[in-house]
Amino acid sequence: LAHVVCFTERERCAGVMSRASGKQRVCYFYDSDIGNYYYGQGHPMKPHRIRMAHNLLLNYGLYKKMEIYRPSPATFDELRKFHSDEYMRFLRHITPDNMGEYTKQMQRFNVGEDCPVFEGLYQFCQASSGGSIGGAVKLNKGTSDIAINWAGGLHHAKKSEASGFCYANDIVLAILELLKHHRRVLYIDIDIHHGDGVEEAFYTTDRVLTVSFHKFGEYFPGTGDVKDVGANAGKYYSVNFPLKDGIDDASYASIFKPVIGQIMQMYQPGAIVLQCGADSLCGDRLGCFNLTIRGHAECVRFVLQQKVPTLILGGGGYTIRNVSRCWTYESAVVLNEEISDDLPYNDYYEYYGPDYKLHYAPSGMENLNIPENLEKIKSKVFEHLRQLQPAPNVTMPAAPPPAAADEE
């Protein structure tokens, strides 16, 4: 299982067959080095969770149903499609050994505490971004209907600044790739934190509609009020749904489905990017929501019912045994496969004790999102959506060449 064969483009005539049979063609990006990157002792962000999820889905046999690729590392030129040259040069050169020479730049680029310097930092950014860009390329080529990169979803990174454990914004880079072939791209964020870096990148354009459901009020990053709707040509193309502590599956579904349903109708995107941050699950080390894995995955299921090419990404998630459970179950949902609640034996089996189950119950915490308030916010969001022009009709020039990261 450790040596799952990667498909090459030349070996993939089976895709035509699966399309004819109506099955969604799924590709999955995974770099086997990803779990070795280490933010440092006591830091809540642990790339090891991606290796745990991968190992779990291998042992469930889900790998047999997808094309598995090792991403090409995103090149410097690809990263600078969004990020500034100076910031990327800084990330490329800084190491734990030479940090002392970069004190001023570390302050300028917000690297230090939440976003520490660690061994292999630049390679980590290349791997995370390479998987998301690679997934976008597969969707653009039409060789996959759904692409998964659990190492992506790092939504806080800015053009010239690290933020919230994120250094390179793989999501923005993937959306820029999708915009080469699609007039309109929809970005959906179900992480507990506001998707500020992605919203900011596309705040003034109508070619990307961003929608974020997040905890708001004395909570990082502090942005994402319902009143923040975009600007200039992008006015009303940023949608924010602020939430309070303790939201449960039923409340979340009562807002997520109507809002996304309405956006699909009004905006008619050619592609969707879904950020599946798992810090919105109950029991998260940093989060304060009360979603179960099934409730979280219901968002994935609803988005896939829209039958639009979709890129599925990871994000936050700090109780790592629950993150790996969640992303494994969501991989099964993508594949339309039923998997047992009894976890198969795997390399990290001891993490899942004492029950060794896939699903776990929500807590008894109070849901501070009362139905009347959710309805009020939903009404405001719908009011903003009514301001949208009919789906913008961009004249598409000849498509630029795909990014290099589509090589296996």
Side-chain angles (χ1 to χ4, degrees):
L1 285 181
H3 306 289
V4 177
V5 176
C6 286
F7 289 78
T8 68
E9 209 55 68
R10 289 178 294 285
E11 288 167 331
R12 5 167 18 281
C13 41
V16 181
M17 298 289 292
S18 62
R19 179 170 257 186
S21 67
K23 266 196 106 112
Q24 298 276 62
R25 296 158 307 153
V26 180
C27 68
Y28 167 94
F29 285 81
Y30 177 72
D31 184 323
S32 54
D33 294 330
I34 203 78
N36 296 327
Y37 297 107
Y38 183 56
Y39 277 60
Q41 197 173 5
H43 197 290
M45 177 61 104
K46 299 185 187 305
H48 176 57
R49 68 209 172 119
I50 301 151
R51 176 163 55 193
M52 288 171 63
H54 180 72
N55 199 259
L56 203 48
L57 66 86
L58 286 187
N59 283 286
Y60 267 116
L62 294 172
Y63 70 95
K64 297 172 191 165
K65 316 282 182 178
M66 330 187 256
E67 295 192 349
I68 298 190
Y69 296 96
R70 183 181 182 114
S72 297
T75 64
F76 184 82
D77 272 351
E78 285 168 350
L79 292 166
R80 59 195 276 271
K81 294 274 196 305
F82 172 56
H83 294 288
S84 71
D85 287 17
E86 284 174 294
Y87 175 46
M88 282 301 113
R89 270 197 295 273
F90 164 77
L91 289 183
R92 190 165 62 177
H93 292 128
I94 195 158
T95 68
D97 295 332
N98 67 16
M99 274 165 61
E101 303 158 35
Y102 287 94
T103 319
K104 224 180 176 133
Q105 280 187 295
M106 283 175 67
Q107 281 182 321
R108 180 178 158 201
F109 297 125
N110 195 35
V111 168
E113 287 188 22
D114 272 3
C115 303
V117 176
F118 58 84
E119 200 60 57
L121 167 56
Y122 184 67
Q123 290 72 28
F124 172 71
C125 295
Q126 288 183 295
S128 164
S129 296
S132 299
I133 297 167
V137 168
K138 292 275 171 218
L139 298 178
N140 280 349
K141 281 185 168 178
T143 52
S144 298
D145 304 303
I146 304 162
I148 300 173
N149 177 31
W150 294 126
L154 303 178
H155 59 172
H156 296 306
K158 310 291 197 298
K159 182 184 172 80
S160 297
E161 191 178 295
S163 175
F165 318 154
C166 306
Y167 305 83
N169 200 314
D170 64 286
I171 307 169
V172 172
L173 294 167
I175 291 172
L176 291 173
E177 187 66 31
L178 290 168
L179 288 171
K180 292 177 182 177
H181 282 256
H182 298 282
R183 291 185 171 89
R184 293 176 299 282
V185 175
L186 170 60
Y187 171 68
I188 304 167
D189 191 314
I190 61 170
D191 193 290
I192 195 171
H193 300 97
H194 177 229
D196 58 338
V198 186
E199 178 184 276
E200 185 180 295
F202 299 111
Y203 206 63
T204 59
T205 179
D206 58 4
R207 290 196 58 201
V208 180
L209 190 152
T210 62
V211 53
S212 178
F213 300 83
H214 49 268
K215 154 96 167 143
F216 182 73
E218 293 177 17
Y219 201 68
F220 183 86
T223 48
D225 196 327
V226 69
K227 298 195 290 280
D228 301 331
V229 295
N232 305 341
K235 193 170 186 190
Y236 303 117
Y237 291 88
S238 291
V239 176
N240 285 298
F241 206 114
L243 297 163
K244 292 184 162 68
D245 291 13
I247 193 160
D248 57 23
D249 294 353
S251 294
Y252 206 95
S254 79
I255 58 166
F256 184 86
K257 291 181 179 183
V259 167
I260 298 303
Q262 185 70 9
I263 288 170
M264 289 303 298
Q265 215 178 327
M266 306 285 294
Y267 191 61
Q268 295 168 24
I272 298 174
V273 178
L274 174 60
Q275 195 269 20
C276 299
D279 45 8
S280 43
L281 291 173
C282 58
D284 188 78
R285 178 177 165 185
L286 299 185
C288 51
F289 282 1
N290 201 16
L291 297 180
T292 68
I293 288 172
R294 283 192 181 90
H296 196 271
E298 190 55 35
C299 299
V300 177
R301 205 185 300 276
F302 187 77
V303 167
L304 296 181
Q305 283 166 3
Q306 311 307 313
K307 293 282 189 277
V308 170
T310 302
L311 176 61
I312 292 187
L313 304 173
Y318 307 101
T319 301
I320 61 174
R321 64 183 181 273
N322 295 342
V323 177
S324 53
R325 285 170 159 130
C326 180
W327 291 346
T328 298
Y329 182 68
E330 288 175 346
S331 301
V333 165
V334 168
L335 294 165
N336 208 13
E337 292 289 321
E338 291 288 326
I339 56 173
S340 169
D341 191 33
D342 295 314
L343 293 175
Y345 188 74
N346 64 86
D347 291 353
Y348 308 104
Y349 195 63
E350 70 279 6
Y351 282 72
Y352 303 106
D355 56 321
Y356 306 100
K357 298 287 189 193
L358 179 61
H359 294 283
Y360 62 98
S363 78
M365 76 186 295
E366 188 187 354
N367 182 359
L368 300 181
N369 300 273
I370 58 174
E372 304 87 277
N373 286 353
L374 290 177
E375 281 304 315
K376 275 183 196 153
I377 299 166
K378 194 166 74 178
S379 297
K380 280 183 191 161
V381 166
F382 280 175
E383 199 180 306
H384 297 153
L385 290 175
R386 280 196 291 275
Q387 313 300 314
L388 290 182
Q389 302 304 307
N393 188 17
V394 179
T395 309
M396 295 291 284
D406 64 332
E407 298 305 319
E408 279 72 75

